[in-house]
Amino acid sequence: MTQNTRQPGGQPLLGLRSAIVLLLGVLTGVGAGVLTYLAQPSLPAATLAAGAGFGAGVMFFHAIIG
């Protein structure tokens, strides 16, 4: 059984560009968090680095992906 992932107007829930920008932001955040945790085994510090990496990654990829 297939599910309809489109809204009633025929538009997808999230545009392709937005999905790519968010995916790259998540990958950047995960990378920053893992590298921070490997350098200094502190979960709070790694979480903060991951959040900052996500935010910076989203802003960066939003600016360069046209």
Side-chain angles (χ1 to χ4, degrees):
M1 177 190 318
T2 61
Q3 293 181 349
N4 187 5
T5 59
R6 295 187 180 266
Q7 293 179 347
Q11 297 294 323
L13 295 175
L14 189 63
L16 180 61
R17 181 180 180 273
S18 299
I20 290 173
V21 167
L22 289 175
L23 174 66
L24 291 173
V26 167
L27 291 175
T28 303
V30 168
V34 167
L35 289 175
T36 302
Y37 187 79
L38 291 175
Q40 174 184 345
S42 170
L43 191 57
T47 303
L48 287 174
F54 171 76
V58 167
M59 288 175 44
F60 175 74
F61 291 115
H62 173 68
I64 66 167
I65 296 176

